[in-house]
Amino acid sequence: ETGVTQTPRHLVMGMTNKKSLKCEQHLGHNAMYWYKQSAKKPLELMFVYNFKEQTENNSVPSRFSPECPNSSHLFLHLHTLQPEDSALYLCASSQDPRGNYGYTFGSGTRLTVV
Amino acid sequence: DQQVKQNSPSLSVQEGRISILNCDYTNSMFDYFLWYKKYPAEGPTFLISISSIKDKNEDGRFTVFLNKSAKHLSLHIVPSQPGDSAVYFCAASVMNYGGSQGNLIFGKGTKLSVKP
């Protein structure tokens, strides 16, 4: 365990379903991120939250809706997804930076849209 | 357009030899670079980093070299071990004024296989 926990680990959903991905960290970090990893593509930044405030939305379609109720929890709400949204969704957190920069990643949620 | 490029999708190395993973970037504003390692079914884990004020950073078997003029960095693993077999991601960021970390931009990754 890295200190960043993602649930569920695997998710299969239909295109008309609504589901949510959950991310939790108790590292005292103030920034949290959603990344998408598709096959043969770089990790793509989706959303950034700093101190619970969304600071970046990287042109993500509205069928992905993030929520950050506090600095320890981050959700990604999914609805009416497409098969091409099937990917590994990674959550990460980081301290408000000084010093040793880097993100701590969770293990990811493997999402399959059918 | 990719700002961080890892042009080799895979690399195979014999145990005990050196592994060299390469990364190129296009954004001259990047001033902090990181390497992450990812095993299957796990998230990436931080491996080593380097600031643009340095050209080398070493941590045990891992050394990262930065060539700013060429916008190139490399990760050297010596000696390579079978447990090093993983996907290695290069990442870069721009340190905003005041020391805030810019968002990390990742490459596609290079899959390293170390054969016994």
Side-chain angles (χ1 to χ4, degrees), chain A residues 31-46:
Chain A
M32 297 186 77
Y33 311 81
W34 280 115
Y35 276 87
K36 176 183 177 183
Q37 187 185 14
S38 304
K40 299 182 181 178
K41 286 189 176 181
L43 282 166
E44 300 172 62
L45 179 65
M46 299 176 72

Side-chain angles (χ1 to χ4, degrees), chain A residues 1-3 12-13 19 26 41-42 51 61-63 72 76 78 87 89 91 94-96 99 101-105 108:
Chain A
E1 282 294 333
T2 64
V12 179
M13 61 185 287
K19 297 286 184 183
H26 296 288
K41 286 189 176 181
F51 293 96
S62 59
R63 56 186 184 270
S72 298
L76 187 62
L78 315 170
Y89 288 85
C91 172
S94 69
Q95 291 177 318
D96 207 29
Y101 300 80
Y103 294 359
T104 302
F105 282 89

Side-chain angles (χ1 to χ4, degrees), chain A residues 23-69:
Chain A
C23 177
E24 186 173 352
Q25 60 92 7
H26 296 288
L27 300 170
H29 291 172
N30 295 310
M32 297 186 77
Y33 311 81
W34 280 115
Y35 276 87
K36 176 183 177 183
Q37 187 185 14
S38 304
K40 299 182 181 178
K41 286 189 176 181
L43 282 166
E44 300 172 62
L45 179 65
M46 299 176 72
F47 300 104
V48 181
Y49 278 82
N50 260 323
F51 293 96
K52 303 187 300 178
E53 299 296 322
Q54 184 175 317
T55 57
E56 188 153 341
N57 175 340
N58 206 22
S59 302
V60 180
S62 59
R63 56 186 184 270
F64 295 91
S65 174
E67 179 191 1
C68 189

Side-chain angles (χ1 to χ4, degrees), chain B residues 35-57:
Chain B
W35 284 94
Y36 282 81
K37 180 168 75 171
K38 184 180 183 302
Y39 292 116
E42 294 183 15
T45 54
F46 171 73
L47 189 58
I48 192 169
S49 63
I50 188 167
S51 161
S52 60
I53 63 173
K54 295 184 175 182
D55 54 19
K56 177 182 174 181
N57 188 26

Side-chain angles (χ1 to χ4, degrees), chain B residues 61-86:
Chain B
R61 296 186 296 114
F62 302 91
T63 303
V64 56
F65 294 92
L66 176 62
N67 182 334
K68 288 188 292 293
S69 60
K71 295 193 182 68
H72 177 83
L73 65 155
S74 60
L75 174 68
H76 292 211
I77 307 174
V78 181
S80 302
Q81 299 173 353
D84 296 328
S85 298

Side-chain angles (χ1 to χ4, degrees), chain B residues 12-19 79-82 112-116:
Chain B
S12 183
V13 172
Q14 204 66 32
E15 181 179 6
R17 308 294 287 268
I18 185 172
S19 295
S80 302
Q81 299 173 353
L112 173 66
S113 299
V114 180
K115 300 188 184 307

